[in-house]
Amino acid sequence: MAPKKGDGASSSPQHETFTRSLWAFRSAGRLDSERSRGTDLDKTADSTKDDEQARAIAWRETDMATHFANVVNVQGTREQVDLFFGTNRTWNVTDVSQVVVDLSNRIILTPLAAKRLLSVLGGVLAEYETRHGRLDLEA
């Protein structure tokens, strides 16, 4: 469900794509968990549709900050997954002995939230590659 204008949310196509991917993931997650318990999938699918229609997301941007990052690092423990974001300040790595990265943000997630993020990002990147071509990590 896309955010509505006037509620402080952006309604750009990219934002709507992410939102649709998030709802698709939540629905798929519910169906998978119901399938593992042996629940009637037709009943679950109907209740999932009803739940999605009844729920609305209010995207509030009043306290949001936007940061650019071209470097990301990840570390984790049993209890959490830490994402570190920063900006590489070294433009010509062949001329220096040390690469300088200014870290700007650390996001701490539960392992379950990290797995949800993995699923949503995978869907968004698959759609990106369908529209714009394959991303090459070795480039």
Side-chain angles (χ1 to χ4, degrees):
M1 175 175 283
K4 297 175 188 166
K5 287 191 177 191
D7 65 358
S10 169
S11 61
S12 68
Q14 295 85 0
H15 193 259
E16 291 174 15
T17 299
F18 173 78
T19 303
R20 281 194 303 271
S21 297
L22 177 63
W23 278 110
F25 167 75
R26 290 180 63 105
S27 298
R30 172 174 281 173
L31 289 174
D32 288 344
S33 65
E34 297 297 326
R35 186 175 291 122
S36 67
R37 289 191 299 225
T39 305
D40 181 12
L41 289 178
D42 293 334
K43 180 180 175 187
T44 304
D46 290 342
S47 66
T48 301
K49 283 184 201 174
D50 294 340
D51 289 348
E52 286 180 19
Q53 290 174 355
R55 293 183 189 152
I57 298 175
W59 298 98
R60 295 188 298 171
E61 298 177 337
T62 54
D63 295 327
M64 183 177 76
T66 301
H67 299 270
F68 172 80
N70 60 9
V71 176
V72 63
N73 195 8
V74 180
Q75 72 180 27
T77 66
R78 186 174 195 270
E79 294 83 21
Q80 68 188 42
V81 175
D82 300 343
L83 306 174
F84 297 90
F85 297 94
T87 305
N88 180 0
R89 298 295 183 186
T90 308
W91 295 105
N92 190 353
V93 294
T94 59
D95 291 346
V96 296
S97 62
Q98 184 179 24
V99 175
V100 177
V101 175
D102 292 337
L103 292 176
S104 56
N105 299 90
R106 178 174 78 173
I107 308 294
I108 301 172
L109 303 170
T110 64
L112 181 59
K115 190 163 186 174
R116 288 179 178 155
L117 178 62
L118 172 67
S119 178
V120 171
L121 281 176
V124 169
L125 288 171
E127 188 171 325
Y128 177 92
E129 288 183 330
T130 299
R131 290 181 183 177
H132 305 289
R134 185 175 174 272
L135 293 170
D136 184 13
L137 293 177
E138 301 302 320

